[in-house]
Amino acid sequence: MTIRRPTRALGRADTASPRLVPPPAPVGRRRFAELTGSWRAALRIARRESRRARRRTALVLAMIAMPVAALAFLAASYDMAELTPEERVDRRLGVADAQLQWIANAPVGQDEWGEGWYTRDGEFPAKVTAARLTALLGPGSRVTEVRQRVPLTLRGPHRDEVVDGRVLDLTDPLARGLVRFRAGRAPQQPGEVAVSPVALRRLDLRLGRAVAAADGSRAYTVVGVVEFPDDLGPVVALHPGAVPSTGPGPDPDGVWLADVPGTVDAALVSRLNDSGVVVTARHPTGSAPGADRTWLGSIMGDNPNDLSTGVLIAGLGLLEVVLLVGPAFAVGVRRRRRDLALVAVAGGDAAQLRRVVLADGVVLGVLGAAAGLLVGVGAAFAGRPLMEQYVFSARFGGYRCWPSALVLLGGVAVLAGVLAALAPAWTAARQDVSAGLAGRRTPAKSPGRWLALGLALVVGGAGLAAFGATQTSPAVILTGLILGELGLVCCTPTLLGALARLGRVLPLAPRIALRDASRNRAAAAPAICAVMAAVASSVALGGYLASDGAREARAYRPALPTGHVLVYPVGTTGQPTLAQITDAARNQLGVGAVAPVQTPSCGTERTGYCDIAPVLPPTRACPWQPGVQLPEAHRQQARADPRCQTRETDYFGGYVEPGVDDGTALPLLTGADPAATAAATAVLRAGGVVVTDPRYLHDGLVTVRVREREAAPDRETVLDLPGYALPGATGQSRLMLSTTAARQLGLSWSPTGWVIGTTTPPDEEQQARFAAALRPFGTLSLSVETGGPPRDVSPLLLLLAAAAGLITVGAAGVATALAAAEGRAELTTLAAVGAAPAVRRLLAICQAGVIAGLGSVLGIVAGLGTAAIVLVSVNRQYASDWPVTDPYPFLVPWPALGVLVLVPVVAMLGAGLFTRARLPIERRLD
């Protein structure tokens, strides 16, 4: 092929064609491109490293994914349980067009869904009937009544069972749409019922069997098994004829389901609202014209304090995850010293080295978040029936997973990974390149500024927690705790260095364990701090709960002597006699000390309610009244006045219970010694009165006042009667009247129950047997005095300690495994110099002991200190209050501490059990 070149004139030289030079890129765009390229390379390196170190990657993923999965499970379950307005209306209406509730005989306002309403005036309407409602709805309409809450007590196989009764006609298609039939048919007559599956199991029933009411008034035949989607507990569906509507007005829990020929439009809703009827329509129609929206509903805005408290608790959890994951990233950085040094030699600056390590946190955080979200949402969908039945006791709505919450959880998981890699990234950027290329360790240093910063944070956090305690602000207290824990995190490396220097006097294995912890502070310090944070939180909360429980126990005022039982009849269908109560108590409770309890009331000539109480003499009455805001000077005077030295519980729970007795019930009600009881009985039989509070007795007399309330006009009777102050009485303050004194005051009396004296509180089985023995004579209610408040914080303390112990064992196990992997060369050296195989196992035990033991000790000290600061601050806040408030005692939660002391031992034994004793031996191939 011939190529022709263009000719040129003689004498002219060839000139090169001009080349276009692009203008330089802007500085900002060039930096952004460099940053993007650097992060792209760092992410590729992190992805490759995650594949190479599979075990460490799996460990980090597990620690990030587990809390994410748990929170995702809760978020998805909550979102499915929280019904939308359409789902709530569909559940309330079934197949009906609207739900009606007649609440007044005056116009009402309501929101668009009928869930919030108000009325400014008007009285309750007369008895609501189907005819009145259909007249309002128009021709062709049909309604059926549903009563949601009817108390019902049925006889079970072992004891009486309280169930929720719902009155509705399940033969009507309108009401039938509210339930799901599982078996049988709908009740067609008053003696038939349909029960829920839970009620069927609890009452041990089958289709066709009969169940009796607890009072024996009637029996019902079970003809169907139904499920109410809004209540999966024990529910019984009753026929309308079984519980006739009583009273002149509407049932407060009664609603009506309506079927209209057309649609429920705004005009129909407005017409019903004008008549006092609240309407819930299937499709929202808007509120009534002119309705005042500020009156509607009762939903309060979110409490900012609660929101901030939740955020801070989540921050504590995030800190715990960061501290647990941090050692794995620190070990990974040490294993990649040479790779990072090569990056530095190739021209990488400190920022690029930090990006390489932070990319590990990004990659593992994303993978952990994805795995946790998938597992959590999948578990929520799979475990939906169990959550419906045993947690929420109601059917969920549609399958949902709360996307915004899941996105937030994913972001927090990635943030946890980045924060966990932050300290190792900072360390990697400052390492000696020559030492990294040679594979040498860089000596660990703990600059003094970190110790100073840590101490400052500890002091500042303690002061902030104390201030929050005085202001009763949980958010401020938690902020102080977080700052204090961060301060201890900063101080831990310095503490490790000091302990390593003290380890020279220890045997070989603990000395090596302390040396490794000091040399590998980047890995050991976060693990120790994770243990410390968990233990400190558990001990601080446990100390507060123990102190609060002791304070409640000290303020508790029993109603009876410990072990005694009060028996009250329920209803008016019938009640047992004293002989029948005595026989049942002797046979079932093993005691025969029974006495009737009689209560005074207004005489036959009075129509109001009588308030019967003793009157304090003017010289003994406190001049200040509780509940009134007093100046500081008056509060100090009240606290110093002997007449006002009464606890706050005495003021707000200082009701004096009146009774009528001749000395028979007095020993069982008060538990006084026989000599004092005999003297009190003599006064009662002589026509006097007995008080258990000696302040009411003056000159051998007790002033008794009877006020007749709700009478026109109000009447008051005041008499000075011969009295006796019963010393050493247990229980609440009482005023016991003799029959003669009651007549002088114009009172009548009647038996209201029985008191049974026992030496120990009867257990639930004894109470059930006693109630079953008296069941043929009527329905009874039992009140057993246990001698203290019902709340027992011991199980909660053990639960907190178990949670902290689990974190301790996990952190110790992770740190020990990482230390074993990192110290393989040292183990090889030990084997080469002739160390026994048991040295490796002993070394693992000592390493776990350093992590778990040191973290537990620091956590216990920090937790007790935090509890002391909070309790002292709270007590100082109430030091000048009046009425006098019981202070919080400082108590050590010994059950929790006992568990936490054993946890390091468990961690050490576990490390020794799962560590192979054989030392590794490596041979260099020439």
Side-chain angles (χ1 to χ4, degrees), residues 504-546:
R504 300 172 182 174
V505 298
L506 297 178
L508 176 64
R511 185 168 68 248
I512 295 177
L514 282 174
R515 186 205 62 183
D516 286 348
S518 177
R519 291 170 58 186
N520 302 326
R521 298 178 192 180
I528 294 173
C529 293
V531 175
M532 177 200 65
V535 172
S537 302
S538 173
V539 171
L541 186 57
Y544 176 80
L545 291 176

mmCIF file of all heavy atoms in Angstrom, residues 504-546:
data_model
loop_
_atom_site.group_PDB
_atom_site.id
_atom_site.type_symbol
_atom_site.label_atom_id
_atom_site.label_comp_id
_atom_site.label_asym_id
_atom_site.label_seq_id
_atom_site.Cartn_x
_atom_site.Cartn_y
_atom_site.Cartn_z
ATOM 1 N N ARG A 504 6.293 -8.087 88.705
ATOM 2 C CA ARG A 504 7.620 -8.708 88.744
ATOM 3 C C ARG A 504 7.738 -9.720 89.870
ATOM 4 O O ARG A 504 8.551 -10.645 89.799
ATOM 5 C CB ARG A 504 8.676 -7.620 88.908
ATOM 6 C CG ARG A 504 8.692 -6.608 87.782
ATOM 7 C CD ARG A 504 9.621 -5.442 88.102
ATOM 8 N NE ARG A 504 9.606 -4.434 87.037
ATOM 9 C CZ ARG A 504 10.239 -3.264 87.101
ATOM 10 N NH1 ARG A 504 10.953 -2.975 88.203
ATOM 11 N NH2 ARG A 504 10.165 -2.412 86.103
ATOM 12 N N VAL A 505 6.992 -9.552 90.910
ATOM 13 C CA VAL A 505 7.097 -10.445 92.064
ATOM 14 C C VAL A 505 6.188 -11.657 91.931
ATOM 15 O O VAL A 505 6.172 -12.518 92.826
ATOM 16 C CB VAL A 505 6.764 -9.676 93.358
ATOM 17 C CG1 VAL A 505 7.754 -8.547 93.581
ATOM 18 C CG2 VAL A 505 5.337 -9.124 93.306
ATOM 19 N N LEU A 506 5.418 -11.763 90.852
ATOM 20 C CA LEU A 506 4.463 -12.853 90.677
ATOM 21 C C LEU A 506 5.132 -14.031 89.988
ATOM 22 O O LEU A 506 6.197 -13.896 89.358
ATOM 23 C CB LEU A 506 3.267 -12.371 89.857
ATOM 24 C CG LEU A 506 2.414 -11.251 90.488
ATOM 25 C CD1 LEU A 506 1.305 -10.844 89.543
ATOM 26 C CD2 LEU A 506 1.831 -11.703 91.820
ATOM 27 N N PRO A 507 4.510 -15.216 90.044
ATOM 28 C CA PRO A 507 5.039 -16.375 89.298
ATOM 29 C C PRO A 507 4.986 -16.139 87.796
ATOM 30 O O PRO A 507 4.494 -15.116 87.313
ATOM 31 C CB PRO A 507 4.125 -17.518 89.738
ATOM 32 C CG PRO A 507 3.538 -17.077 91.035
ATOM 33 C CD PRO A 507 3.425 -15.595 90.955
ATOM 34 N N LEU A 508 5.452 -17.137 87.042
ATOM 35 C CA LEU A 508 5.641 -16.983 85.602
ATOM 36 C C LEU A 508 4.340 -16.652 84.871
ATOM 37 O O LEU A 508 4.264 -15.648 84.149
ATOM 38 C CB LEU A 508 6.256 -18.265 85.031
ATOM 39 C CG LEU A 508 6.420 -18.282 83.504
ATOM 40 C CD1 LEU A 508 7.396 -17.215 83.053
ATOM 41 C CD2 LEU A 508 6.858 -19.672 83.035
ATOM 42 N N ALA A 509 3.316 -17.493 85.032
ATOM 43 C CA ALA A 509 2.097 -17.320 84.242
ATOM 44 C C ALA A 509 1.402 -15.988 84.514
ATOM 45 O O ALA A 509 1.078 -15.247 83.564
ATOM 46 C CB ALA A 509 1.145 -18.494 84.496
ATOM 47 N N PRO A 510 1.115 -15.604 85.745
ATOM 48 C CA PRO A 510 0.486 -14.298 85.952
ATOM 49 C C PRO A 510 1.385 -13.143 85.539
ATOM 50 O O PRO A 510 0.887 -12.101 85.098
ATOM 51 C CB PRO A 510 0.186 -14.270 87.453
ATOM 52 C CG PRO A 510 1.026 -15.310 88.058
ATOM 53 C CD PRO A 510 1.221 -16.350 87.010
ATOM 54 N N ARG A 511 2.718 -13.321 85.644
ATOM 55 C CA ARG A 511 3.607 -12.244 85.217
ATOM 56 C C ARG A 511 3.520 -12.035 83.711
ATOM 57 O O ARG A 511 3.454 -10.896 83.224
ATOM 58 C CB ARG A 511 5.042 -12.572 85.628
ATOM 59 C CG ARG A 511 6.020 -11.445 85.327
ATOM 60 C CD ARG A 511 7.355 -11.659 85.997
ATOM 61 N NE ARG A 511 8.074 -12.799 85.427
ATOM 62 C CZ ARG A 511 8.317 -13.932 86.063
ATOM 63 N NH1 ARG A 511 7.882 -14.093 87.310
ATOM 64 N NH2 ARG A 511 8.986 -14.919 85.490
ATOM 65 N N ILE A 512 3.494 -13.141 82.953
ATOM 66 C CA ILE A 512 3.366 -13.031 81.487
ATOM 67 C C ILE A 512 2.001 -12.450 81.120
ATOM 68 O O ILE A 512 1.884 -11.635 80.193
ATOM 69 C CB ILE A 512 3.578 -14.403 80.832
ATOM 70 C CG1 ILE A 512 5.018 -14.887 81.060
ATOM 71 C CG2 ILE A 512 3.267 -14.335 79.348
ATOM 72 C CD1 ILE A 512 5.286 -16.261 80.501
ATOM 73 N N ALA A 513 0.941 -12.858 81.848
ATOM 74 C CA ALA A 513 -0.397 -12.347 81.550
ATOM 75 C C ALA A 513 -0.464 -10.838 81.762
ATOM 76 O O ALA A 513 -1.011 -10.095 80.926
ATOM 77 C CB ALA A 513 -1.439 -13.058 82.420
ATOM 78 N N LEU A 514 0.108 -10.339 82.859
ATOM 79 C CA LEU A 514 0.115 -8.899 83.093
ATOM 80 C C LEU A 514 0.985 -8.174 82.072
ATOM 81 O O LEU A 514 0.635 -7.082 81.594
ATOM 82 C CB LEU A 514 0.618 -8.604 84.502
ATOM 83 C CG LEU A 514 -0.382 -8.811 85.647
ATOM 84 C CD1 LEU A 514 0.304 -8.612 86.984
ATOM 85 C CD2 LEU A 514 -1.549 -7.846 85.502
ATOM 86 N N ARG A 515 2.117 -8.790 81.692
ATOM 87 C CA ARG A 515 2.980 -8.153 80.703
ATOM 88 C C ARG A 515 2.285 -8.050 79.347
ATOM 89 O O ARG A 515 2.335 -7.006 78.676
ATOM 90 C CB ARG A 515 4.270 -8.949 80.571
ATOM 91 C CG ARG A 515 5.324 -8.295 79.665
ATOM 92 C CD ARG A 515 6.241 -9.345 79.098
ATOM 93 N NE ARG A 515 5.507 -10.311 78.267
ATOM 94 C CZ ARG A 515 6.055 -11.372 77.685
ATOM 95 N NH1 ARG A 515 7.332 -11.639 77.888
ATOM 96 N NH2 ARG A 515 5.336 -12.193 76.944
ATOM 97 N N ASP A 516 1.605 -9.143 78.934
ATOM 98 C CA ASP A 516 0.894 -9.110 77.656
ATOM 99 C C ASP A 516 -0.234 -8.088 77.683
ATOM 100 O O ASP A 516 -0.488 -7.393 76.691
ATOM 101 C CB ASP A 516 0.329 -10.496 77.331
ATOM 102 C CG ASP A 516 1.423 -11.464 76.894
ATOM 103 O OD1 ASP A 516 2.545 -10.987 76.628
ATOM 104 O OD2 ASP A 516 1.147 -12.675 76.833
ATOM 105 N N ALA A 517 -0.947 -8.000 78.810
ATOM 106 C CA ALA A 517 -2.018 -7.005 78.891
ATOM 107 C C ALA A 517 -1.463 -5.594 78.796
ATOM 108 O O ALA A 517 -2.076 -4.708 78.184
ATOM 109 C CB ALA A 517 -2.794 -7.185 80.197
ATOM 110 N N SER A 518 -0.293 -5.369 79.395
ATOM 111 C CA SER A 518 0.317 -4.047 79.312
ATOM 112 C C SER A 518 0.847 -3.758 77.913
ATOM 113 O O SER A 518 0.715 -2.636 77.411
ATOM 114 C CB SER A 518 1.441 -3.946 80.340
ATOM 115 O OG SER A 518 2.104 -2.714 80.244
ATOM 116 N N ARG A 519 1.479 -4.761 77.274
ATOM 117 C CA ARG A 519 2.004 -4.555 75.927
ATOM 118 C C ARG A 519 0.891 -4.399 74.912
ATOM 119 O O ARG A 519 1.044 -3.653 73.933
ATOM 120 C CB ARG A 519 2.915 -5.723 75.546
ATOM 121 C CG ARG A 519 4.211 -5.768 76.341
ATOM 122 C CD ARG A 519 4.952 -7.062 76.109
ATOM 123 N NE ARG A 519 5.271 -7.282 74.709
ATOM 124 C CZ ARG A 519 5.820 -8.399 74.228
ATOM 125 N NH1 ARG A 519 6.135 -9.384 75.065
ATOM 126 N NH2 ARG A 519 6.080 -8.526 72.956
ATOM 127 N N ASN A 520 -0.212 -5.104 75.110
ATOM 128 C CA ASN A 520 -1.336 -5.061 74.167
ATOM 129 C C ASN A 520 -2.487 -4.246 74.774
ATOM 130 O O ASN A 520 -3.617 -4.700 74.875
ATOM 131 C CB ASN A 520 -1.816 -6.473 73.839
ATOM 132 C CG ASN A 520 -0.714 -7.330 73.269
ATOM 133 O OD1 ASN A 520 0.161 -6.840 72.552
ATOM 134 N ND2 ASN A 520 -0.737 -8.615 73.598
ATOM 135 N N ARG A 521 -2.159 -3.034 75.195
ATOM 136 C CA ARG A 521 -3.184 -2.226 75.860
ATOM 137 C C ARG A 521 -4.338 -1.878 74.937
ATOM 138 O O ARG A 521 -5.469 -1.724 75.392
ATOM 139 C CB ARG A 521 -2.553 -0.938 76.400
ATOM 140 C CG ARG A 521 -1.475 -1.193 77.434
ATOM 141 C CD ARG A 521 -0.840 0.100 77.911
ATOM 142 N NE ARG A 521 0.377 -0.156 78.673
ATOM 143 C CZ ARG A 521 1.127 0.789 79.212
ATOM 144 N NH1 ARG A 521 0.767 2.065 79.095
ATOM 145 N NH2 ARG A 521 2.216 0.475 79.883
ATOM 146 N N ALA A 522 -4.064 -1.747 73.667
ATOM 147 C CA ALA A 522 -5.126 -1.407 72.732
ATOM 148 C C ALA A 522 -6.197 -2.487 72.669
ATOM 149 O O ALA A 522 -7.357 -2.214 72.358
ATOM 150 C CB ALA A 522 -4.552 -1.175 71.332
ATOM 151 N N ALA A 523 -5.812 -3.743 72.985
ATOM 152 C CA ALA A 523 -6.784 -4.835 72.988
ATOM 153 C C ALA A 523 -7.298 -5.130 74.390
ATOM 154 O O ALA A 523 -8.473 -5.435 74.579
ATOM 155 C CB ALA A 523 -6.169 -6.092 72.385
ATOM 156 N N ALA A 524 -6.439 -5.044 75.389
ATOM 157 C CA ALA A 524 -6.849 -5.398 76.748
ATOM 158 C C ALA A 524 -7.691 -4.317 77.395
ATOM 159 O O ALA A 524 -8.669 -4.609 78.097
ATOM 160 C CB ALA A 524 -5.613 -5.678 77.604
ATOM 161 N N ALA A 525 -7.339 -3.054 77.177
ATOM 162 C CA ALA A 525 -8.063 -1.976 77.843
ATOM 163 C C ALA A 525 -9.546 -1.930 77.449
ATOM 164 O O ALA A 525 -10.405 -1.799 78.325
ATOM 165 C CB ALA A 525 -7.376 -0.641 77.551
ATOM 166 N N PRO A 526 -9.907 -2.035 76.151
ATOM 167 C CA PRO A 526 -11.350 -2.039 75.847
ATOM 168 C C PRO A 526 -12.092 -3.209 76.475
ATOM 169 O O PRO A 526 -13.242 -3.040 76.931
ATOM 170 C CB PRO A 526 -11.389 -2.116 74.317
ATOM 171 C CG PRO A 526 -10.083 -1.585 73.869
ATOM 172 C CD PRO A 526 -9.103 -1.998 74.921
ATOM 173 N N ALA A 527 -11.469 -4.401 76.513
ATOM 174 C CA ALA A 527 -12.153 -5.548 77.126
ATOM 175 C C ALA A 527 -12.362 -5.319 78.619
ATOM 176 O O ALA A 527 -13.439 -5.597 79.168
ATOM 177 C CB ALA A 527 -11.342 -6.819 76.893
ATOM 178 N N ILE A 528 -11.336 -4.795 79.294
ATOM 179 C CA ILE A 528 -11.490 -4.497 80.724
ATOM 180 C C ILE A 528 -12.556 -3.437 80.933
ATOM 181 O O ILE A 528 -13.382 -3.530 81.858
ATOM 182 C CB ILE A 528 -10.135 -4.046 81.303
ATOM 183 C CG1 ILE A 528 -9.139 -5.210 81.274
ATOM 184 C CG2 ILE A 528 -10.289 -3.519 82.724
ATOM 185 C CD1 ILE A 528 -7.733 -4.812 81.681
ATOM 186 N N CYS A 529 -12.579 -2.434 80.084
ATOM 187 C CA CYS A 529 -13.579 -1.370 80.221
ATOM 188 C C CYS A 529 -14.982 -1.874 79.923
ATOM 189 O O CYS A 529 -15.955 -1.395 80.519
ATOM 190 C CB CYS A 529 -13.228 -0.211 79.299
ATOM 191 S SG CYS A 529 -11.711 0.651 79.765
ATOM 192 N N ALA A 530 -15.122 -2.820 78.997
ATOM 193 C CA ALA A 530 -16.443 -3.391 78.730
ATOM 194 C C ALA A 530 -16.970 -4.121 79.959
ATOM 195 O O ALA A 530 -18.141 -3.976 80.353
ATOM 196 C CB ALA A 530 -16.386 -4.339 77.534
ATOM 197 N N VAL A 531 -16.094 -4.913 80.602
ATOM 198 C CA VAL A 531 -16.491 -5.590 81.842
ATOM 199 C C VAL A 531 -16.825 -4.566 82.921
ATOM 200 O O VAL A 531 -17.826 -4.667 83.632
ATOM 201 C CB VAL A 531 -15.364 -6.528 82.306
ATOM 202 C CG1 VAL A 531 -15.710 -7.149 83.657
ATOM 203 C CG2 VAL A 531 -15.133 -7.619 81.272
ATOM 204 N N MET A 532 -15.969 -3.546 83.037
ATOM 205 C CA MET A 532 -16.193 -2.522 84.058
ATOM 206 C C MET A 532 -17.515 -1.799 83.840
ATOM 207 O O MET A 532 -18.269 -1.552 84.795
ATOM 208 C CB MET A 532 -15.041 -1.520 84.014
ATOM 209 C CG MET A 532 -15.191 -0.356 84.986
ATOM 210 S SD MET A 532 -14.143 1.027 84.490
ATOM 211 C CE MET A 532 -14.888 1.476 82.926
ATOM 212 N N ALA A 533 -17.849 -1.435 82.596
ATOM 213 C CA ALA A 533 -19.091 -0.714 82.327
ATOM 214 C C ALA A 533 -20.308 -1.561 82.683
ATOM 215 O O ALA A 533 -21.267 -1.072 83.305
ATOM 216 C CB ALA A 533 -19.140 -0.302 80.852
ATOM 217 N N ALA A 534 -20.273 -2.845 82.297
ATOM 218 C CA ALA A 534 -21.418 -3.709 82.612
ATOM 219 C C ALA A 534 -21.569 -3.917 84.110
ATOM 220 O O ALA A 534 -22.665 -3.830 84.666
ATOM 221 C CB ALA A 534 -21.251 -5.056 81.898
ATOM 222 N N VAL A 535 -20.454 -4.181 84.785
ATOM 223 C CA VAL A 535 -20.521 -4.419 86.228
ATOM 224 C C VAL A 535 -20.915 -3.150 86.971
ATOM 225 O O VAL A 535 -21.718 -3.181 87.910
ATOM 226 C CB VAL A 535 -19.172 -4.963 86.736
ATOM 227 C CG1 VAL A 535 -19.151 -5.039 88.252
ATOM 228 C CG2 VAL A 535 -18.902 -6.334 86.135
ATOM 229 N N ALA A 536 -20.360 -2.002 86.572
ATOM 230 C CA ALA A 536 -20.684 -0.744 87.244
ATOM 231 C C ALA A 536 -22.164 -0.405 87.089
ATOM 232 O O ALA A 536 -22.808 0.015 88.063
ATOM 233 C CB ALA A 536 -19.815 0.383 86.682
ATOM 234 N N SER A 537 -22.710 -0.583 85.901
ATOM 235 C CA SER A 537 -24.138 -0.309 85.709
ATOM 236 C C SER A 537 -24.986 -1.237 86.562
ATOM 237 O O SER A 537 -25.966 -0.804 87.200
ATOM 238 C CB SER A 537 -24.500 -0.456 84.229
ATOM 239 O OG SER A 537 -23.732 0.409 83.424
ATOM 240 N N SER A 538 -24.609 -2.524 86.603
ATOM 241 C CA SER A 538 -25.372 -3.478 87.395
ATOM 242 C C SER A 538 -25.296 -3.166 88.884
ATOM 243 O O SER A 538 -26.311 -3.174 89.591
ATOM 244 C CB SER A 538 -24.861 -4.897 87.125
ATOM 245 O OG SER A 538 -25.474 -5.827 87.981
ATOM 246 N N VAL A 539 -24.113 -2.847 89.372
ATOM 247 C CA VAL A 539 -23.956 -2.574 90.808
ATOM 248 C C VAL A 539 -24.638 -1.269 91.188
ATOM 249 O O VAL A 539 -25.296 -1.180 92.243
ATOM 250 C CB VAL A 539 -22.460 -2.552 91.172
ATOM 251 C CG1 VAL A 539 -22.258 -2.062 92.603
ATOM 252 C CG2 VAL A 539 -21.866 -3.933 91.006
ATOM 253 N N ALA A 540 -24.511 -0.235 90.366
ATOM 254 C CA ALA A 540 -25.145 1.045 90.684
ATOM 255 C C ALA A 540 -26.663 0.914 90.722
ATOM 256 O O ALA A 540 -27.327 1.367 91.669
ATOM 257 C CB ALA A 540 -24.723 2.100 89.660
ATOM 258 N N LEU A 541 -27.221 0.277 89.697
ATOM 259 C CA LEU A 541 -28.672 0.096 89.685
ATOM 260 C C LEU A 541 -29.111 -0.848 90.798
ATOM 261 O O LEU A 541 -30.158 -0.632 91.440
ATOM 262 C CB LEU A 541 -29.113 -0.437 88.322
ATOM 263 C CG LEU A 541 -30.615 -0.552 88.092
ATOM 264 C CD1 LEU A 541 -31.299 0.789 88.303
ATOM 265 C CD2 LEU A 541 -30.910 -1.080 86.692
ATOM 266 N N GLY A 542 -28.326 -1.887 91.048
ATOM 267 C CA GLY A 542 -28.658 -2.797 92.142
ATOM 268 C C GLY A 542 -28.600 -2.119 93.496
ATOM 269 O O GLY A 542 -29.445 -2.362 94.366
ATOM 270 N N GLY A 543 -27.591 -1.261 93.713
ATOM 271 C CA GLY A 543 -27.520 -0.530 94.974
ATOM 272 C C GLY A 543 -28.701 0.392 95.167
ATOM 273 O O GLY A 543 -29.260 0.499 96.273
ATOM 274 N N TYR A 544 -29.122 1.065 94.101
ATOM 275 C CA TYR A 544 -30.287 1.942 94.228
ATOM 276 C C TYR A 544 -31.554 1.138 94.503
ATOM 277 O O TYR A 544 -32.381 1.521 95.342
ATOM 278 C CB TYR A 544 -30.452 2.771 92.953
ATOM 279 C CG TYR A 544 -31.692 3.640 92.977
ATOM 280 C CD1 TYR A 544 -31.699 4.844 93.664
ATOM 281 C CD2 TYR A 544 -32.856 3.245 92.322
ATOM 282 C CE1 TYR A 544 -32.835 5.634 93.705
ATOM 283 C CE2 TYR A 544 -33.987 4.031 92.361
ATOM 284 C CZ TYR A 544 -33.976 5.234 93.046
ATOM 285 O OH TYR A 544 -35.103 6.000 93.087
ATOM 286 N N LEU A 545 -31.722 0.014 93.798
ATOM 287 C CA LEU A 545 -32.920 -0.802 94.026
ATOM 288 C C LEU A 545 -32.940 -1.383 95.437
ATOM 289 O O LEU A 545 -33.995 -1.432 96.083
ATOM 290 C CB LEU A 545 -32.979 -1.922 92.992
ATOM 291 C CG LEU A 545 -33.253 -1.507 91.550
ATOM 292 C CD1 LEU A 545 -33.182 -2.707 90.623
ATOM 293 C CD2 LEU A 545 -34.624 -0.836 91.432
ATOM 294 N N ALA A 546 -31.785 -1.831 95.923
ATOM 295 C CA ALA A 546 -31.739 -2.363 97.282
ATOM 296 C C ALA A 546 -32.066 -1.281 98.299
ATOM 297 O O ALA A 546 -32.810 -1.517 99.271
ATOM 298 C CB ALA A 546 -30.356 -2.959 97.554
#
